[in-house]
Amino acid sequence: MECDAGEFSLGRQTACDPCPAGYSCANKDSEPVVCEAGFYSNGSLTACVECDAGYACAEGSKSPRPADGLCPLGYFCEDGKDLTSCPAGKW
């Protein structure tokens, strides 16, 4: 069976499964791959997408702006994954 982009099948199935949120499905005949820190997927994607600046997305994120990933006071998060302390005298 031929799956569409963003779907996968591990065989012996009657239909393809959509790629779950927090994962990418680049290979239609392989297990979904969890999104790395700094990336997200809201489902049915072939590749994870970078999270928004100002947020730190954990591995397997399902949103570009996760509620628990808002960059905390005293830090900046320009790459979507790393928390960087603000220099002295800056905020």
Side-chain angles (χ1 to χ4, degrees):
M1 134 183 33
E2 182 65 28
C3 295
D4 292 331
E7 295 181 333
F8 72 101
S9 172
L10 300 178
R12 298 185 189 157
Q13 294 180 212
T14 58
C16 296
D17 291 320
C19 194
Y23 292 80
S24 66
C25 294
N27 298 315
K28 299 173 183 182
D29 60 351
S30 299
E31 292 274 346
V33 177
V34 68
C35 294
E36 296 178 13
F39 293 84
Y40 80 97
S41 165
N42 55 10
S44 297
L45 295 180
T46 58
C48 298
V49 181
E50 286 188 48
C51 292
D52 290 347
Y55 290 83
C57 295
E59 179 181 76
S61 287
K62 300 173 184 175
S63 167
R65 297 178 173 197
D68 61 348
L70 184 61
C71 200
L73 294 174
Y75 293 86
F76 63 98
C77 306
E78 67 182 342
D79 65 1
K81 65 177 178 176
D82 295 318
L83 300 175
T84 305
S85 295
C86 292
K90 305 281 183 178
W91 73 90

